[in-house]
């Protein structure tokens, strides 16, 4: 009975983003970035503050691991 009152640490949206990110392997190509963007961009506003912070860590990892430097600007959240 008590288990029904336990609030999950992460939303389903974040779990979906986490799962997608961990299915990608560097070096990240344009297809990887577009897949990430299609998932991340529409859910961004639904994420809580901690989830956004962690999602930004995924973005940082993508930027660091892109196949070509020019691809980094294509990642949602990169200014």
């Amino acid at each position: 009975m008590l288990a029904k009152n336990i609030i999950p640490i992460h939303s389903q949206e974040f779990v979906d983003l986490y799962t997608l990110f961990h299915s990608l392997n560097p070096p990240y190509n344009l297809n990887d970035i577009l897949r990430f963007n299609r998932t991340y961009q529409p859910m961004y506003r639904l994420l809580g503050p901690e989830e956004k912070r962690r999602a930004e860590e995924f973005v940082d990892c993508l930027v660091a691991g892109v196949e070509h430097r020019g691809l980094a600007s294509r990642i949602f959240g990169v200014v």
Side-chain angles (χ1 to χ4, degrees):
M1 224 10 111
L2 292 176
K4 291 184 179 184
N5 296 327
I6 297 173
I7 298 170
I9 295 172
H10 298 296
S11 65
Q12 185 59 51
E13 290 82 9
F14 181 81
V15 171
D16 293 345
L17 185 65
Y18 175 92
T19 301
L20 170 67
F21 176 75
H22 287 286
S23 74
L24 305 174
N25 295 305
Y28 305 110
N29 60 35
L30 181 59
N31 186 49
D32 296 329
I33 291 167
L34 295 177
R35 285 180 58 208
F36 183 82
N37 289 349
R38 276 193 303 272
T39 302
Y40 184 40
Q41 189 170 7
M43 76 169 51
Y44 179 79
R45 64 181 183 79
L46 303 174
L47 299 175
E50 179 62 19
E51 292 174 325
K52 286 180 181 176
R53 187 189 69 73
R54 291 183 183 215
E56 289 165 6
E57 291 177 3
F58 297 153
V59 170
D60 291 343
C61 288
L62 286 172
V63 169
V66 291
E67 189 173 61
H68 302 286
R69 285 273 149 252
L71 292 175
S73 65
R74 303 283 305 262
I75 302 168
F76 176 74
V78 173
V79 184

